[in-house]
Amino acid sequence: MSEPQGSEGTTQRLPVLEKAPDQRDQSASAAAYGPPPVPEDGAGGGKRRFWSARRVPAGIVALLLLLVAGIFLYDVAAVRADRPAMHWRRELARQLAERPLDDTWVLVGAGVAAALGLWLIVLAATPGLRGVLPMSRTHPDVRAGLHRDAAAMVLRDRAMEVAGVQSARVRVRRKKADVRAVSHFRELDDVRADLDVTLTEAITALGLARPPALSVHVARTTRKKG
C-alpha cells in the first residue's frame, strides 16, 4: 500500500500515537466490560424467561400413548374378530372389579397417576430453561439470553483481576450471584470492597433484564505446614 503523499509529491509518515500502559489497560477494560447498549424506543420487555421445547418429555409421552393405544386397538380388533381378549386385560378388569378402593395397590396406582399428571401440568405451565438468563432487549424483534455458566465465568474472570484474590468460585442463579473468593494478601475488608465494586460493574455490563443480587464472601487462604 502506498503511503500518503504530501502536497509537493513527497512521502510523509503519519505520526504514531502511543498510549501509556495504564491508558491502554483502561481502554481495553472499557471495551471488554463496557456498559450494555441502550435499548431502542419500543424495545422494552424481555424479562420473561425463554420457553423450553421439552422435546424429550413430549417424545416419551407420545411414545407411551402410542404403545398403549396400539395395544388396546389390537385387543379390541381381536375381540371383534371373535378371538379371546388378552390375558392381561381380562386380569386387569377382574382386579378392578374385585379390589376395593382402599386397597394398597389401588392407592399406589392412583398416587402414581396423580403424580405423573401433576408433573405434566407443571411442565406445560412453566417456561423451563432455568439455565438461560434473559437479557435486556436492544431491538424489539431480537431476544437474547445468557447461560448462567457463561455469566459465572465472566464474573470469575473479573474477580481474579482484583488484587489479593488467589482463587474464586462463582455460582449464578436466577436471582442471586454467589461469589466465594480466597485472598492470600491484603486485608479481607479491602478485598471484599473491591470485589463488590468490580462485580457490580460486571453484572451491570452483562446486560441482563433482571440482574441477580450480589453476595460476596472472602476468606483467608490456609497454608499447610510441612
Side-chain angles (χ1 to χ4, degrees):
M1 297 177 61
S2 61
E3 298 182 359
Q5 303 291 328
S7 59
E8 299 179 357
T10 58
T11 302
Q12 296 180 353
R13 292 185 177 273
L14 296 176
V16 179
L17 300 179
E18 294 185 357
K19 294 183 179 180
D22 55 346
Q23 293 178 349
R24 288 198 301 267
D25 295 341
Q26 292 176 0
S27 299
S29 178
Y33 307 107
V38 179
E40 298 179 1
D41 295 337
K47 295 184 178 181
R48 293 179 298 177
R49 288 165 51 190
F50 291 86
W51 279 80
S52 172
R54 293 191 174 94
R55 295 180 178 87
V56 175
I60 294 175
V61 173
L63 181 60
L64 291 177
L65 291 178
L66 179 62
L67 292 176
V68 173
I71 292 174
F72 274 101
L73 181 61
Y74 175 80
D75 191 41
V76 171
V79 173
R80 291 288 184 177
D82 296 332
R83 293 184 180 180
M86 292 183 179
H87 175 72
W88 65 268
R89 193 161 71 93
R90 296 197 305 269
E91 183 65 20
L92 178 61
R94 187 183 65 82
Q95 292 290 341
L96 292 177
E98 295 179 357
R99 287 183 179 273
L101 295 179
D102 59 350
D103 185 78
T104 303
W105 288 108
V106 174
L107 295 178
V108 170
V112 172
L116 289 177
L118 181 62
W119 177 61
L120 293 176
I121 292 175
V122 171
L123 288 180
T126 55
L129 290 181
R130 301 178 62 89
V132 179
L133 302 175
M135 302 178 68
S136 299
R137 284 192 178 186
T138 58
H139 192 277
D141 297 331
V142 178
R143 287 194 67 194
L146 181 64
H147 283 274
R148 291 191 295 182
D149 294 340
M153 184 180 300
V154 172
L155 296 182
R156 179 185 177 278
D157 292 342
R158 292 300 307 274
M160 294 300 298
E161 296 176 359
V162 176
V165 176
Q166 183 181 19
S167 63
R169 291 186 305 162
V170 181
R171 184 177 181 183
V172 178
R173 300 184 180 92
R174 288 177 54 200
K175 299 181 179 180
K176 185 178 180 182
D178 189 11
V179 181
R180 297 184 179 274
V182 175
S183 175
H184 58 300
F185 70 93
R186 295 183 67 196
E187 295 293 332
L188 296 182
D189 293 338
D190 296 339
V191 176
R192 186 180 297 106
D194 290 347
L195 283 173
D196 286 334
V197 174
T198 301
L199 296 180
T200 300
E201 295 177 354
I203 291 176
T204 303
L206 292 177
L208 299 177
R210 295 178 178 176
L214 180 63
S215 176
V216 178
H217 305 273
V218 182
R220 183 68 68 188
T221 181
T222 57
R223 297 181 179 179
K224 296 182 179 180
K225 297 182 179 180

